[in-house]
Every structure is written in C-alpha cells, then in structure tokens.
C-alpha cells in the first residue's frame, strides 16, 4: 500500500528540503521507492498546476484522499494579531491550512527547528511558533493536547537544518508504523539523546582543557569560542554532515541549532563566563565537581596536546 | 483579474494578473510571506550575523555568510589572507554550481512535463528524465550536486548553514588531504557535467560564442542534442521560450571580481566584472546608487527610496489595497534591474549572451541557458583555487573586537546580486539591511509606479489556460525565484 505524504513550507528558509537532498544510504530516492511513498506534493519539486493542487487539497480535507504523513517545514506564522496574514496561501492565512491538514494526518512531522520550536523565524516579529512547542513550552500552534490520526503528538525533528539521516530514519519509521521513543520535546531519543560533543575530533583537547582562544588554533572551542557541543542534543558527530565532516571538527563552534531555545540571546563565538568559568556547563554536570575535575585534567594534560601536536 | 499561486519557487509567491483576452495586460507580484527579521539582529553582537543570516535562505546560505563576513572585514579594515579568500570563494562557487543544477533539473525542466505539453514530441522523454524523485536526470542531479556540496563540508564543516567564515578569514584550517578530497570531487563532477549536461567538453562549449555557433553546436553530434542542455534547448524552442519573458532590459551584477581582492598570488586576475546595464549601455557599479522603495510594499511609507544604510522596515498593518507585497522594491539609480546568471554574463561581456540578447532580447530561454552553462565557467576556476590554496599558510588574521561603524558586503549569490549593510553602535548591531537577488527580480512597483523586473517580463504573454499558466511558470522560474529571502533584517525605528 502506497503511503501518502504531503510536504508543506511555512515560515522557514527551505533549508530542510535542501538538506533532505543530501541524504545518503538511504538517499531520498531510495527511501521513497523502498517505502512506496507517494509524494502528493512537495512545494519545491511538484509540477502539478495550481488548480490541480487546489483539488488535491480539497480531496485531503474531505478525506477522499488519505493523508498518512504530513511534513511541515518552517514555523507557523500567527501574526499580526493572530490573523496569520504575515503568511498567506490563496489570500487566506496559511495557518488555517496547517490546522486542517494536521487534523487529517496519520502522523505529523515537524521538520527542522522552526517547525518544532519556532527557531529563527520564531525570533522575528511575526508571532511564529512551532507546531506543538513554542521554544521550551508545550502548546505551540496546535496545542498541548493535539494528537494525530495515529494518536501521536507532533514528532519533532529539530536542527537548522534537520540532519538528512534523521529525516530518512523518521520517514522510514512513519511509513512502516515503527514507534519511536521520544524525549521531553517529542524528538526521537534515538537521535536526540546524544550530544553534538560526542565524537568530536577535538575531544582529546576538551578532556584536558586545551582551549582555542581564537579561530584556527588546534584545541577545543568550549571555554572561549562558545561551542555548545556539550549542551546540544544531536547526532552531528555520529552521522556527520554531507557524509564527511561537521562544524566542530573543522573548527566552527556548535551554535546549538537543535535546541528549543535556538537562537539564544547570548552572543555566538563567545563563551559567557564568570571569572573564566563557563556559565553553561555540559548537560547535567555537577558544577563544583566538574570544575575540580577540569583543573586536575588541565594539570594532567600531555605535552602532545599542550603543544598542539595532535591533529584534530 | 486572476490570482495565481506559484510553486517550485523557494518561498511563497502569488501573481495577480489583469488579462486582456488571453494576454497579460498588467501584473502584480506579491511576496506573501513576511518573516519579520527586524528584531532578530538588532542589539546582538556584531558576529551574530554569521550564524543568523545564512538562515535567511536554505539554498544560498554560503552567499549570505560571505556577504556578512565581508561587511565585518570592512568594518575591521582587515586584510584577509589569500588562503581564506580562496577558500571562501571555493565554497561560494560550489554553492552556485549546486544551485544552478538543482534549479535547472529539479525545478525548471519539469515544467516540460506539464499536462499542457502532452502532445509535444518531447513529452514522454521529458517525463522519463524529469519526473520528481524518479526521473533519470533528477536522480543523477541529486547524486552529483550532493557530491559537489561535500567540498563545502570538507573546508567549512557542513552545508547548508555553516558559519566558517569570520572577519579576518575563516575559522577552519583545511589540510593537504582536504584539498586532495576537493580536487577529486571537482574532477569527478566536471566529468559528469561534461558527459551528461553539456554532452561535450568544457573547452568545446567555450567555443560557442554566438547564436549561430549555438545552432552549429547543437547539430554537430547526437551527444549535444541528448545532454540535458541540448534537451533543454530543443524543448525551449518548441515551446517558444526564446520569445517570452523580456522585461526592462536593465541588468545589475557585482561580478566575481572579489575573487582575489587582496591577493599577492594571482589565481586568475578576475573572473567577471561588475556593473549596471540600462538600454544596452554599461555603467560602473556604485553601491551608493542603490535605494529601496516601499510605495507598494506592505511597510510604512517614506517619501522615495532610501539607501540601505538608512533603511527602515516597519510592517504596515492597515489593509491598504495599493500595498501588495511583503518585498521591498530595490532600485539602482531609480531603475529596476534584473540580476542573476544572465545579468552576470552580459555585464562581463560574454559574447554568446550578448549576441542572444541582441537578436532576441532577454528571454526565459537566455536566462535559463545562462544558468545551465555557468558551471562551465566556474569549474575551471574551482580547480585553480583548489590547487593554489597552500595548507601551510595562514587562513585567518586575528581582528579582536569589532569596532563601531558602517560597512557593507556585496557579492554575487547564485541568483544574483546580494548585499548586506551593517551598522554597529556601542559594540552591538544597530541596523542590518539585506537586499537579496529576488528582492531585485521580484520587486513590486516603486515610488514612480514602475513595475519590478518579472512583473514587466510577463507583460504581453499569452496564458492559454489560467488554471494551468505554464507560460508564467517558465518566465518566473527563469529568474530562479527565491521568495524566502526577499525579507528584511533591520532596526525598527
Ligand atoms: S569543540 Fe565543541 S564539540 Fe568539539 S570537543 Fe570541544 S566542546 Fe566538544
């Protein structure tokens, strides 16, 4: 049985669709064929004329055509003053269409941080929120009690953009009816219970607290350059990006783009600190013990790291 | 009057048309989404634009990053090391190439499988090649563009949305082995592009310098008609794309002359020059002549155009029927101007496109041809850069705190001229204005009620079936519309 999928763009940059094209083993083509996914509509790639699209929407809304998977990319724009007129479709607020389709869908997947939590679009002045969360608060556009046809909350796949491997995995789970365990923000634990920091090639430097104080030095980016790898939940250093690398490995601090409060108010490329000690420590650590451990680690640092002989 | 929503553009666009019979008598292009970035950057640290502005657009984030980094370089007055200039541009070119191919194959060509063309001789082959997620060319284009993007990941961490460019250079330090990887990827991509897209070598293509040459080339070998480029040319001619989509005939490009602005080690003097063309005459490019109008945009009005250093963006809430777009109207010396690969080629004096435009005017065909063939110019340059980068030399020059002041970064993104204008006061961003390529191309009317480029380009076009306006699709998509980025970052005053 073919699985019907409808993809919708709301308040976002289109980056998740671009990220999707970068998936590998399986790639998007293989995923669609293997799972017999029928892409009813994707705004960047579908070729049906506007009138046919309208007919499709009518058929989905009247349930004449079943909607198994609804993918929404971008935050739901509610402003100004809850009219939704900052984001229009056919002269009407697009948010109405989001609500109608979500109500008909077997499973609703929020693709990317904007759709999940509001993200960069949510930081603007258009009263844009995630589908079921607004930053860390449950509710968002569809409300706390929303459940899709299969009885599920909106499944969040945060990331700015979403990692393509995560997207392929979740589409597969959705198409095959495999249930995924979720974290407090309704994101699959399989992908979001690990930290970006895990697997970074700078871990050796992190461990012994050998730090970069400016770009291009070999070292860890946590204590001075604002790396959020030890706080951000995502598999960037497990799956890597473009099947090749990731920001922290190459020397670009993680900016925590999978977190509900992305983008945070703190400046990027800088670690807020009190007397030289970061305010935000790695996820869940005990502060006094961590500080004691780090100063001992720095004292134990081997020369090869102190002299930046070890490649990253 | 009819309203037409358009898909396969990035972001949301609706066209409002007045028809006279089946011909378009008047048109209004309406950007129908406002993301309201005005509060995001104001008050933030100056470097934050490096993280946030790439998120304006998921396809050309590297271009936004470069424009943001260059504005900060200017503010710091720093001389960026050659290695960093080359690496930044290497990633920009990789992004252009991915975008040109993805747009051509995934978003433009599938208009030829529109039901309206069912009886055309090309239809069944077009369907085999370009059906979404299934077509043979689609599958290959996805595979190959993914590869070329790996170059950005190798030297910059990831694509989309890395932030590896920083004032003073780049944060990463690509190694010898990284360059080996880039070199291999560029070679294998060039091989594919020659084989499948052009159907000939880059050198053979470079010999096509006039419309007559193009016809000779097309007939020369079956490989030339069979490649995606040849197939495009055949479909485009059969459907009359070389007769529609004219426009004002004004063009703007910042060129690629920044490729080696500070270089001591020449990669190539310069690839493409900058300028502005009006009625066939070319002028020097001067960013001071850029202004944005809001007379017909849903923003609170001000007299005439404002230079982006003075720009203000206050959404207008009262429904004024005259104000029909969430995009502003950028003008160059009071003229609307189109931007993109065709403008780039014309301003650079490319003989093929100069001849095409002389004989046919700008058309949907010439715009898309310029896009399809741009990689033929960029790939050799990429190779040169890859082989010139010296992994032992510095990639970064420390700049310390960012001083107060005003600065801009102007570059060519894949869709055309992109500018960031930045003002820092007391160590924080006081104003940040962005003018994107689609803001130029898809702009609404200005204070003099002059239509924007694609509004003008569709005037006079016959639309056979208003429920299926494929002719409009061709024209608007030939501009490679990207509405997500026709937005504004700025201070609310
Ligand atoms: S650079 Fe970031 S992710 Fe890498 S080890 Fe340091 S803190 Fe962890």
């Amino acid at each position: 049985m073919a699985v019907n999928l409808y993809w919708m763009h709301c308040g976002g940059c289109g980056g998740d669709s671009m990220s999707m094209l970068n998936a590998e083993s399986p790639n998007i083509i293989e995923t669609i064929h293997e799972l017999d996914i029928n892409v009813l509509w994707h705004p960047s790639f579908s070729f049906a004329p506007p009138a046919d699209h309208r007919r499709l929407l009518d058929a989905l809304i009247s349930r004449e055509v079943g909607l198994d998977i609804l993918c929404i990319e971008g935050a739901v724009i509610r402003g100004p003053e809850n009219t939704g007129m900052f984001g229009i479709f056919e002269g009407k607020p697009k948010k109405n269409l989001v609500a109608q389709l979500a109500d008909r869908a077997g499973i609703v997947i929020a693709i990317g941080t904007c759709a999940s939590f509001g993200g960069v679009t949510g930081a603007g002045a258009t009263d844009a929120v995630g589908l079921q969360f607004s930053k860390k608060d449950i509710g968002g556009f569809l409300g706390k009690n929303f459940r899709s046809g299969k009885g599920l909350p909106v499944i969040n796949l945060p990331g700015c953009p979403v990692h393509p491997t995560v997207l392929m995995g979740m589409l597969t789970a959705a198409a095959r009816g495999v249930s995924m365990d979720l974290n407090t923000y309704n994101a699959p634990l399989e992908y979001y219970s690990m930290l970006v920091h895990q697997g970074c090639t700078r871990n050796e430097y992190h461990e012994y607290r050998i730090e970069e104080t400016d770009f291009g030095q070999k070292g860890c980016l946590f204590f001075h350059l604002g790396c959020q790898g030890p706080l951000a939940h995502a598999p960037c250093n497990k799956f890597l990006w473009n099947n090749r690398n990731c920001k922290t490995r190459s020397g670009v601090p993680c900016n925590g783009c999978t977190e509900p409060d992305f983008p945070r108010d703190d400046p990027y490329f800088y670690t807020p600190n009190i007397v030289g000690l970061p305010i935000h420590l790695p996820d869940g650590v005990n502060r006094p013990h961590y500080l004691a451990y780090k100063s001992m680690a720095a004292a134990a640092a081997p020369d090869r790291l102190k002299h930046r002989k070890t490649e990253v | 009057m009819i309203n037409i929503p358009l898909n396969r553009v990035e972001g949301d666009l609706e066209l409002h048309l007045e028809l006279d019979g089946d011909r378009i008598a008047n048109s209004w292009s309406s950007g129908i989404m406002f993301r309201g970035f005005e509060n995001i950057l104001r008050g933030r640290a100056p470097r934050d634009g490096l993280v946030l502005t790439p998120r304006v657009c998921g396809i050309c984030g590297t271009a936004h990053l470069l424009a943001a980094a260059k504005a900060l370089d200017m503010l710091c007055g720093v001389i960026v090391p050659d290695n960093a200039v080359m690496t930044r541009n290497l990633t920009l070119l990789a992004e252009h190439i991915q975008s040109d191919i993805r747009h051509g194959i995934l978003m433009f060509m599938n208009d030829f499988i529109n039901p309206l063309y069912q009886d055309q001789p090309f239809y069944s082959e077009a369907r085999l090649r370009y059906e979404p997620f299934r077509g043979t060319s689609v599958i290959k284009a996805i595979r190959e563009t993914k590869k070329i993007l790996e170059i950005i990941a190798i030297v910059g961490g990831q694509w989309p949305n890395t932030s590896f460019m920083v004032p003073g250079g780049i944060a990463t330090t690509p190694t010898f082995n990284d360059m080996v990887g880039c070199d291999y990827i560029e070679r294998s991509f060039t091989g594919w592009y020659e084989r499948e897209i052009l159907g000939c070598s880059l050198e053979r293509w470079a010999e096509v310098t006039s419309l007559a040459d193009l016809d000779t080339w097309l007939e020369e070998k079956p490989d030339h008609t069979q490649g995606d480029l040849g197939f495009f040319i055949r479909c485009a001619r059969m459907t009359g794309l070389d007769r529609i989509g004219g426009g004002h005939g004004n063009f703007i490009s910042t060129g690629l002359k920044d490729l080696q602005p500070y270089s001591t080690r020449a990669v190539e003097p310069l690839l493409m020059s900058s300028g502005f063309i009006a009625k066939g005459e070319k002028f020097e490019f001067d960013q001071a002549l850029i202004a944005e109008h809001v007379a017909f945009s849903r923003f609170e009005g001000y007299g005439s155009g404002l230079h982006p250093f003075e720009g203000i963006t206050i959404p207008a809430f009262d429904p004024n029927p005259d104000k029909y777009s969430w995009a502003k109207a950028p003008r160059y010396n009071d003229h609307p101007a189109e931007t993109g690969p065709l403008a780039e080629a014309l301003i650079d004096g490319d003989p093929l496109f100069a001849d095409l435009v002389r004989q046919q005017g700008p058309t949907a065909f010439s715009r898309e041809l310029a896009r399809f063939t741009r990689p033929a110019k960029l790939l050799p340059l990429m190779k040169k850069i890859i082989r010139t980068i010296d992994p032992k030399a510095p990639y970064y020059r420390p700049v310390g705190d960012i001083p107060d002041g005003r600065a801009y970064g102007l570059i060519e993104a894949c869709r055309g001229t992109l500018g960031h204008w930045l003002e820092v006061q007391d160590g924080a961003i006081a104003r940040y204005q962005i003018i994107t390529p689609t803001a130029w191309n898809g702009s609404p009317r200005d204070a003099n009620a002059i239509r924007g480029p694609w509004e003008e380009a569709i005037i006079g076009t016959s639309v056979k079936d208003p429920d299926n306006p494929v002719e409009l699709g061709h024209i608007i998509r030939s501009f490679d519309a990207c509405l997500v980025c026709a937005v504004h970052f700025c201070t609310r005053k």
Side-chain angles (χ1 to χ4, degrees):
Chain A
M1 262 279 275
V3 178
N4 283 347
L5 181 150
Y6 184 96
W7 188 294
M8 189 168 176
H9 279 162
C10 291
C13 72
D16 299 298
S17 291
M18 287 298 117
S19 185
M20 170 182 86
L21 297 182
N22 293 339
E24 186 70 68
S25 301
N27 63 33
I28 183 63
I29 307 282
E30 291 157 349
T31 301
I32 285 173
H33 290 199
E34 182 66 25
L35 301 170
D36 200 7
I37 291 179
N38 179 15
V39 182
L40 299 171
W41 183 259
H42 186 295
S44 302
F45 310 117
S46 292
F47 65 95
D52 292 9
H53 182 216
R54 182 67 256 175
R55 276 191 284 276
L56 168 66
L57 286 173
D58 291 343
L60 289 170
I61 290 165
S62 68
R63 298 181 198 270
E64 188 191 318
V65 171
L67 177 55
D68 301 300
I69 303 176
L70 173 65
C71 291
I72 296 195
E73 176 177 356
V76 183
I77 293 177
R78 299 188 299 191
E81 278 144 36
N82 218 22
T83 61
M85 293 309 278
F86 279 146
I88 321 168
F89 178 70
E90 293 179 334
K92 298 190 202 82
K94 202 182 225 180
K95 70 184 174 88
N96 297 358
L97 187 59
V98 174
Q100 282 177 310
L101 291 180
D103 181 59
R104 310 299 193 268
I107 180 166
V108 182
I109 309 179
I111 313 283
T113 302
C114 287
S116 300
F117 308 125
V120 169
T121 306
T126 59
D127 189 20
V129 290
L131 285 167
Q132 212 171 3
F133 278 85
S134 177
K135 291 193 178 275
K136 290 186 171 170
D137 302 327
I138 193 153
F141 174 63
L142 293 171
K144 181 170 177 250
N145 297 323
F146 171 84
R147 292 293 178 272
S148 62
K150 291 238 169 88
L152 297 169
V154 173
I155 308 293
N156 288 326
L157 299 183
C160 187
V162 65
H163 193 288
T165 304
V166 170
L167 177 55
M168 294 306 116
M170 188 59 224
L171 285 179
T172 307
R176 291 201 183 135
V178 175
S179 78
M180 297 287 246
D181 295 331
L182 304 177
N183 70 12
T184 18
Y185 298 112
N186 291 341
L189 281 168
E190 170 142 2
Y191 307 118
Y192 296 96
S193 69
M194 58 175 55
L195 296 168
V196 170
H197 173 71
Q198 289 175 252
C200 177
T201 52
R202 292 164 193 267
N203 278 175
E204 276 271 281
Y205 287 97
H206 180 92
E207 199 173 333
Y208 296 102
R209 207 186 152 169
I210 310 282
E211 296 292 325
E212 289 208 2
T213 52
D214 203 344
F215 302 113
Q217 305 163 344
K218 253 175 263 166
C220 169
L221 313 164
F222 179 62
F223 282 78
H224 299 285
L225 292 181
C227 184
Q228 293 181 36
L231 292 138
H233 300 79
C236 300
N237 264 303
K238 179 180 182 183
F239 298 143
L240 299 180
W241 282 84
N242 311 83
N243 316 300
R244 192 79 196 204
N245 202 356
C246 80
K247 293 208 293 294
T248 64
R249 287 187 176 193
S250 68
V252 183
C254 166
N255 50 46
C257 74
T258 51
E259 296 306 285
D261 54 359
F262 176 78
R264 287 216 307 233
D265 294 336
D266 298 330
Y268 293 107
F269 307 105
Y270 170 78
T271 307
N273 61 73
I274 309 169
V275 288
L277 298 169
I279 292 173
H280 309 290
L281 291 179
D283 192 27
V285 301
N286 172 299
R287 191 170 186 93
H289 285 124
Y290 180 79
L291 298 177
Y293 146 68
K294 272 296 157 199
S295 53
M296 284 170 73
D303 280 350
R304 65 184 167 81
L305 294 178
K306 279 194 204 147
H307 299 129
R308 320 263 171 159
K309 290 224 161 54
T310 299
E311 276 303 331
V312 284
Chain B
M1 285 288 289
I2 55 170
N3 291 342
I4 291 174
L6 211 69
N7 58 303
R8 262 180 303 119
V9 299
E10 289 299 311
D12 294 321
L13 167 67
E14 274 178 18
L15 296 168
H16 308 284
L17 307 174
E18 202 173 273
L19 293 176
D20 174 11
D22 67 352
R23 283 163 55 87
I24 297 173
N26 211 344
S27 70
W28 294 263
S29 159
S30 171
I32 51 176
M33 183 172 83
F34 175 62
R35 280 203 292 158
F37 279 93
E38 64 267 29
N39 290 325
I40 298 183
L41 280 171
R42 189 185 50 162
R44 296 197 65 123
R47 285 186 180 85
D48 288 0
L50 302 169
V51 172
L52 295 171
T53 67
R55 267 98 186 168
V56 172
C57 175
I59 298 195
C60 67
T62 310
H64 280 284
L65 177 62
L66 178 55
K70 280 175 63 111
L72 291 168
D73 290 341
M74 184 187 280
L75 210 49
C76 298
V78 61
I79 307 283
V80 176
D82 282 351
N83 257 356
V85 174
M86 286 188 282
T87 310
R88 288 170 172 192
N89 285 305
L90 175 64
T91 60
L92 184 74
L93 299 184
E95 182 171 273
H96 279 28
I97 292 167
Q98 113 2 89
S99 177
D100 289 348
I101 301 290
R102 284 186 178 176
H103 180 268
I105 303 286
L106 307 186
M107 300 185 187
F108 191 88
M109 289 305 286
N110 48 10
D111 268 330
F112 294 119
I113 52 178
N114 188 289
L116 192 80
Y117 295 138
Q118 237 151 22
D119 300 328
Q120 289 274 3
F122 58 71
Y123 190 80
S124 55
E125 190 179 349
R127 196 140 195 151
L128 272 177
R129 288 178 182 238
Y130 303 114
E131 189 153 354
F133 302 116
R134 287 177 199 277
T136 50
S137 294
V138 167
I139 291 174
K140 289 178 203 157
I142 290 177
R143 188 180 64 213
E144 298 296 328
T145 52
K146 180 165 51 181
K147 283 306 273 187
I148 197 91
L149 289 169
E150 231 178 276
I151 290 183
I152 307 182
I154 291 173
V155 302
Q158 71 175 66
W159 189 93
N161 289 354
T162 175
S163 300
F164 82 104
M165 302 178 201
V166 292
I170 59 175
T172 61
T173 50
T175 61
F176 168 75
N177 192 62
D178 290 337
M179 288 303 134
V180 172
C182 293
D183 200 12
Y184 167 78
I185 291 167
E186 178 276 314
R187 260 184 294 143
S188 109
F189 185 91
T190 300
W192 169 77
Y193 180 76
E194 292 181 317
R195 245 181 359 260
E196 308 259 342
I197 302 283
L198 295 181
C200 71
S201 67
L202 300 183
E203 293 76 18
R204 174 65 190 94
W205 175 254
E207 291 164 8
V208 178
T209 57
S210 67
L211 186 51
D213 283 354
L214 185 64
D215 293 331
T216 314
W217 173 86
L218 193 62
E219 299 308 321
E220 192 174 87
K221 273 185 182 177
D223 287 356
H224 297 180
T225 42
Q226 287 311 310
D228 286 294
L229 177 63
F231 192 74
F232 158 70
I233 297 172
R234 288 186 288 142
C235 295
R237 288 182 168 173
M238 282 188 259
T239 51
L241 262 56
D242 49 357
R243 293 189 300 275
I244 59 172
H248 297 105
N250 300 339
F251 303 91
I252 191 168
S253 166
T254 58
L256 287 175
K257 83 169 178 313
D258 273 333
L259 270 169
Q260 279 302 87
Y262 314 111
S263 179
T264 48
R265 190 179 36 232
V267 165
E268 183 80 337
L270 236 225
L271 190 64
M272 290 183 194
S273 52
S274 63
F276 170 72
I277 292 180
K279 304 204 171 36
E281 200 185 335
K282 185 175 156 183
F283 302 89
E284 291 277 304
F285 180 85
D286 178 4
Q287 67 84 29
L289 296 178
I290 294 173
E292 284 197 294
H293 295 234
V294 296
F296 291 86
S297 311
R298 289 187 185 132
F299 298 101
E300 300 213 343
Y302 42 78
S304 54
L306 287 180
H307 184 271
F309 275 145
E310 316 296 334
I312 41 181
T313 309
I314 306 170
F317 292 93
D318 25 303
N320 174 348
D322 279 350
K323 292 180 172 280
Y324 61 88
S325 182
W326 286 118
K328 288 187 183 179
R331 293 295 182 261
Y332 185 84
N333 205 9
D334 274 346
H335 296 290
E338 74 168 88
T339 189
L342 176 64
E344 237 172 74
L346 290 172
I347 286 163
D348 193 45
D350 182 297
L352 169 62
F353 292 97
D355 191 43
L356 269 171
V357 169
R358 197 162 37 239
Q359 299 206 37
Q360 303 176 333
T363 60
F365 171 67
S366 51
R367 277 186 207 104
E368 198 60 25
L369 184 72
R371 185 167 299 111
F372 254 120
T373 58
R374 179 165 61 176
K377 289 188 200 167
L378 302 185
L379 286 162
L381 190 81
M382 279 180 87
K383 183 192 292 296
K384 254 194 169 139
I385 292 179
I386 291 165
R387 300 212 174 155
T388 312
I389 287 171
D390 172 7
K392 292 202 170 72
Y395 287 96
Y396 173 68
R397 191 159 282 139
V399 297
D401 290 336
I402 310 282
D404 284 0
R406 285 174 161 190
Y408 59 84
L410 267 159
I411 62 148
E412 284 297 289
C414 23
R415 295 178 174 78
T417 298
L418 167 69
H420 286 199
W421 285 262
L422 159 76
E423 183 177 343
V424 174
Q425 266 174 25
D426 305 325
I429 295 171
R431 189 194 305 261
Y432 208 114
Q433 287 271 318
I434 295 180
I435 302 183
T436 65
T438 296
W440 286 100
N441 289 329
S443 78
R445 285 157 174 73
D446 57 35
N448 304 315
I450 297 181
R451 284 187 282 261
W454 76 47
E455 289 181 333
E456 185 69 21
I458 60 179
I459 298 290
T461 308
S462 298
V463 177
K464 290 190 196 73
D465 175 7
D467 275 347
N468 180 13
V470 65
E471 305 85 350
L472 289 181
H474 291 311
I475 299 175
I476 302 294
R477 289 186 193 108
S478 77
F479 284 94
D480 197 351
C482 180
L483 271 290
V484 289
C485 59
V487 296
H488 286 268
F489 283 74
C490 100
T491 349
R492 197 194 272 259
K493 278 229 164 148

